[in-house]
Amino acid sequence: LRNWLITVFGMLHVQSQATIDVGDADPRHNDPVPNAAVTTQPGDAYADRHPGPGDLRLVAEVSDATLRYDRTTKAALYACLGIPEYWVVD
């Protein structure tokens, strides 16, 4: 998934297993770590902070054993935050 995203968006805009900042949207999920994320700016723009919802074009989770959680809880969180695209790969 990561390699394919890099071919589409470029290496500088794809993060893998990196924390995203969801602020106080849901205290149970302060710092989710999606399997892949596509950012609006190159990765070095986030040297001093984690990208937040406004910095994300796409967030993806690969569901080895968490399909139900990813399709419900995480989907609701990302939708609430206004992240424009969320993929669950099963």
Side-chain angles (χ1 to χ4, degrees):
L1 175 63
R2 179 184 174 275
N3 291 340
W4 182 81
L5 289 171
I6 287 171
T7 65
V8 175
F9 296 99
M11 185 182 302
L12 297 177
H13 292 274
V14 177
Q15 295 188 350
S16 181
Q17 298 293 330
T19 302
I20 61 173
D21 181 5
V22 298
D24 296 329
D26 189 334
R28 297 170 296 167
H29 304 98
N30 283 341
D31 296 318
V33 181
N35 296 107
V38 177
T39 58
T40 58
Q41 297 184 34
D44 61 356
Y46 310 106
D48 296 333
R49 65 181 181 91
H50 299 302
D55 300 308
L56 299 165
R57 292 182 178 179
L58 178 144
V59 173
E61 297 285 357
V62 178
S63 295
D64 298 2
T66 58
L67 182 60
R68 182 182 178 124
Y69 179 77
D70 292 339
R71 292 179 68 195
T72 57
T73 304
K74 279 199 173 177
L77 172 65
Y78 295 147
C80 174
L81 294 168
I83 294 173
E85 190 80 22
Y86 174 54
W87 295 355
V88 176
V89 180
D90 180 19

